[in-house]
Amino acid sequence: MNKQEAEAVNRLHLCYTDIKEVSIWVHMGDMRMKFDFKQDVKRIIVICIASLVMAVNIKTFVRTGGLYPGGATGLTILLQTIFERYLSITVPYTLINLLLNAVPVYIGFRYIGKKFTLYSCLVLILTGFLTDIIPAHVITYDTLLISIFGGIISGLVTSVCLIMGATTGGTDFISIYLSEKKGVDSWNLILGLNIVILSIAGILFGWDKALYSIIFQFASTQVLHTLYKRYQKQTLFIVTRKPEEICDAIYAVSNHGATILEGKGSYEHCERNVVYSVVSRDEVKRVVRAAKEIDGNAFINEVKTEGLSGRFYQKPND
C-alpha cells in the first residue's frame, strides 16, 4: 500500500468514526449548541414520559386533593383556583405556568446552560399542554394518601428530569443559579416562597389543604434528595501504596483534585499514604471503582460531607 492509498484508508476510517458518533451543531442567534443524536433522542423520550407522568399526577392527585405543592406549579394551581372561585374564569394551566416561568427561563438561558434550559422548556410546555387536555381521574379521596403518593411521584419525576439534564422549571432555575453561580444557599428563599403560597391558600381555601400540602412537599423533597445527588458531597479517604496513580484517576474521573497524606500503619508498622479528596456523590462509585482497579488492596472510607468551603469543581450544565 502506497502513501496515497494509506491516506485514503485513514480518511475513510475517520468518516466511519464520525458516523458512529453522530452530532449536530445548531446555531440559534448567538447560541451554539451541540446535539448528540443518540444521547439527545434518549433525553427527549425520557423527558416526554416524565412530563406525561407529571401531568397525570397534577390531575389525579394534586387537583383531587386540593393541594398546593409549592413553587411555580403550586402558584399556578393557586392562581387558577382563585380565578375559578372568585372570578368564574377558567384560565389554562399552560398560560399561567409559562408566564410565571418567563423570568426563570431567561435566567436559565443566560446563566445556567442553553441545552439545559431548552429541554426544561420542553418539560414546561408539554406538562402544561397535557395537564390542560388530560381528563381528571380520581383514584382515592383520602387526602393523606394523595399527599404522600402524589409527593413521591412529584419527587421521582423531578429527579428524572434533573438526571436527564432538564428541570420542571420555576424555583429549580433560581435554585441552580444561586447555588452554582452565586454560591448562595437558596433553601430559605424557596421556603419563604412556599410559605407565602401555603399561607394564601390556607386563608382563602382552608388550612387543612395547606397543611396536607406540606406533607406533599416533604415527601417530594425526600425522594429528590435520595435520587438526585449532583449537589451532595462525599469525602474519600483512600489508604494505598499507589497514591499518585489514584490521584490521577480521581482527576480523570471527576475533575477533582486530591491531597496525599503520609501515614504509618499501626499493625505492620510500615509507611502508608492516604489520598484525601471530596467529590460529588454521583461520582463516588466511579472513583472507587477506578481506585480499586489501580490498587486492589486499597482501604477506602466514604464520609458524607455536610458543609464545604473553598473551591470545588462543579460540572456546568450544557
Side-chain angles (χ1 to χ4, degrees):
M1 182 182 295
N2 57 35
K3 183 177 180 180
Q4 291 180 343
E5 291 174 340
E7 290 178 351
V9 171
N10 287 334
R11 285 195 295 270
L12 288 173
H13 175 71
L14 291 174
C15 290
Y16 173 72
T17 303
D18 292 338
I19 291 172
K20 288 195 299 181
E21 297 293 335
V22 179
S23 59
I24 305 172
W25 284 96
V26 176
H27 298 263
M28 298 174 62
D30 59 345
M31 295 187 298
R32 188 168 182 259
M33 294 176 287
K34 184 179 181 180
F35 288 87
D36 181 87
F37 181 79
K38 182 178 179 180
Q39 291 298 323
D40 284 287
V41 167
K42 177 183 176 182
R43 289 172 72 176
I44 291 172
I45 292 174
V46 174
I47 285 172
C48 289
I49 295 174
S51 300
L52 173 61
V53 175
M54 179 64 84
V56 172
N57 188 41
I58 292 173
K59 296 299 286 285
T60 303
F61 288 100
V62 177
R63 287 296 185 89
T64 300
L67 303 179
Y68 304 94
T73 300
L75 185 55
T76 299
I77 295 173
L78 177 61
L79 291 174
Q80 273 191 303
T81 308
I82 291 173
F83 278 115
E84 290 173 3
R85 295 275 185 92
Y86 295 97
L87 301 176
S88 299
I89 299 175
T90 301
V91 183
Y93 177 94
T94 306
L95 177 61
I96 299 176
N97 197 40
L98 291 180
L99 289 175
L100 292 176
N101 278 282
V103 173
V105 165
Y106 170 78
I107 292 174
F109 269 114
R110 182 73 184 273
Y111 301 105
I112 299 176
K114 305 298 188 299
K115 280 180 66 177
F116 179 84
T117 308
L118 190 64
Y119 283 119
S120 299
C121 289
L122 175 61
V123 175
L124 290 170
I125 295 172
L126 192 56
T127 300
F129 174 74
L130 292 173
T131 301
D132 285 328
I133 66 171
I134 291 177
H137 180 71
V138 178
I139 295 179
T140 177
Y141 287 102
D142 189 316
T143 311
L144 181 59
L145 291 177
I146 289 172
S147 302
I148 295 173
F149 286 97
I152 291 173
I153 295 172
S154 177
L156 178 63
V157 171
T158 303
S159 300
V160 169
C161 288
L162 288 170
I163 291 171
M164 298 309 297
T167 178
T168 53
T171 53
D172 290 345
F173 281 118
I174 299 172
S175 176
I176 294 171
Y177 169 71
L178 293 176
S179 299
E180 291 189 357
K181 304 302 180 181
K182 299 297 182 180
V184 177
D185 187 355
S186 58
W187 167 251
N188 290 332
L189 177 63
I190 296 173
L191 177 61
L193 175 61
N194 290 338
I195 289 174
V196 171
I197 294 173
L198 294 178
S199 297
I200 296 173
I203 294 171
L204 295 178
F205 309 115
W207 289 103
D208 58 333
K209 302 302 183 183
L211 295 176
Y212 276 118
S213 296
I214 294 176
I215 298 176
F216 180 98
Q217 292 181 27
F218 177 78
S220 178
T221 302
Q222 289 299 109
V223 173
L224 178 61
H225 182 75
T226 301
L227 297 180
Y228 187 62
K229 303 177 180 179
R230 174 182 171 88
Y231 296 105
Q232 300 175 35
K233 314 291 191 303
Q234 196 92 342
T235 299
L236 298 177
F237 292 97
I238 305 174
V239 182
T240 178
R241 293 181 179 180
K242 300 178 180 179
E244 298 289 348
E245 293 91 332
I246 288 182
C247 286
D248 292 339
I250 291 173
Y251 185 80
V253 171
S254 66
N255 208 33
H256 293 293
T259 301
I260 299 176
L261 308 174
E262 294 182 356
K264 182 180 180 180
S266 62
Y267 181 74
E268 297 180 351
H269 301 287
C270 56
E271 292 184 357
R272 288 286 187 270
N273 292 109
V274 179
V275 176
Y276 163 78
S277 184
V278 181
V279 300
S280 298
R281 284 192 64 189
D282 59 349
E283 299 168 333
V284 170
K285 289 185 178 180
R286 287 180 290 152
V287 171
V288 171
R289 189 184 306 117
K292 283 294 186 180
E293 289 176 356
I294 295 172
D295 184 359
N297 295 319
F299 181 83
I300 304 175
N301 182 23
E302 303 175 17
V303 181
K304 183 179 179 180
T305 303
E306 296 293 345
L308 188 66
S309 177
R311 296 180 62 186
F312 182 82
Y313 173 79
Q314 189 71 59
K315 182 180 178 181
N317 294 290
D318 55 1

